[in-house]
Amino acid sequence: MSDLLLAILPVFLLAGLVKGVIGLGLPTVAMGLLGALMPPAEAAALLIVPSAVTNIWQMLAGGRLIALGRRLWPMLAGICLGTWAGSGLLARDPTGHAATALGAALIVYALAGLAAPRLHLGPRTEAWAGLPIGALTGLITAATGVFVIPAVPFLQAIGLEKEELVQALGLSFTISTAALALGLARDGVFGFDIAGASLIALAPALAGMWLGQWIRLRVSAQTFRRCFFLGLTALGGYLVLRGVL
């Protein structure tokens, strides 16, 4: 366990730093790096506490939580249903397909971030699209431990203001983390030992967030974001190649 902690502490420091600079990316970076060191199910379990605490913090920062909950409840319900429907995909994966799927998800997310497409969904489309978007996000969460696709592009496309978007991301990620934690606990992955390690990982994650916020005030976030997505593309490609070779 001591060797494991030495390996994961810098991972969560880096992941927290990324979240502090661009507002998201902690589970994505952590899953990508830890997926190269351990089974994806264990990596997903390790990120539960740092992800939950940082996302609750982000979710509560602002005065629009109730209004956002009313607006986004179909997507949030879909996330829960999709995650629970796919529960066990990470835990029962002796072939390593989950790591390959994780790599593919990272590449898709990174390429979408680099392209920065200007999508827009009207109220009518938003009303019916929320549930299937959430369900698909939940299934991808259950299979890979990454809960940004396609929820993040959807939230970016429905016309939220900047601060509303940040709070909506925190709300979406909090629900995804809770649903994933319940699924992993049911599958016997998120036990006391891994929960303790996850709690220890909270400290470097918070330190990384603080450092990232400090950096965000001094460098171009757009430049850092571009480097971040390029790095994720390379990391995802490595995981895919490792899984198919």
Side-chain angles (χ1 to χ4, degrees), residues 124-210:
R124 184 173 299 179
T125 304
E126 176 189 343
W128 65 260
L131 183 61
I133 288 291
L136 181 57
T137 300
L139 285 173
I140 293 175
T141 296
T144 69
V146 175
F147 35 77
V148 297
I149 304 169
V152 170
F154 174 77
L155 292 174
Q156 291 172 327
I158 62 175
L160 296 173
E161 297 179 358
K162 180 181 177 182
E163 294 305 316
E164 285 183 314
L165 176 59
V166 171
Q167 193 169 16
L169 289 171
L171 175 60
S172 174
F173 296 161
T174 298
I175 297 299
S176 295
T177 302
L180 180 62
L182 290 173
L184 291 173
R186 187 182 69 180
D187 295 328
V189 179
F190 189 54
F192 286 109
D193 289 344
I194 205 77
S198 182
L199 182 61
I200 293 173
L202 175 61
L206 291 176
M209 274 194 69
W210 177 85

Side-chain angles (χ1 to χ4, degrees), residues 12-13 15-21 26 54 57-58 204-214:
F12 280 96
L13 180 66
L17 185 148
V18 170
K19 185 175 180 65
V21 173
L26 187 149
T54 55
W57 182 359
Q58 182 173 330
L206 291 176
M209 274 194 69
W210 177 85
L211 181 59
Q213 291 170 345
W214 183 85

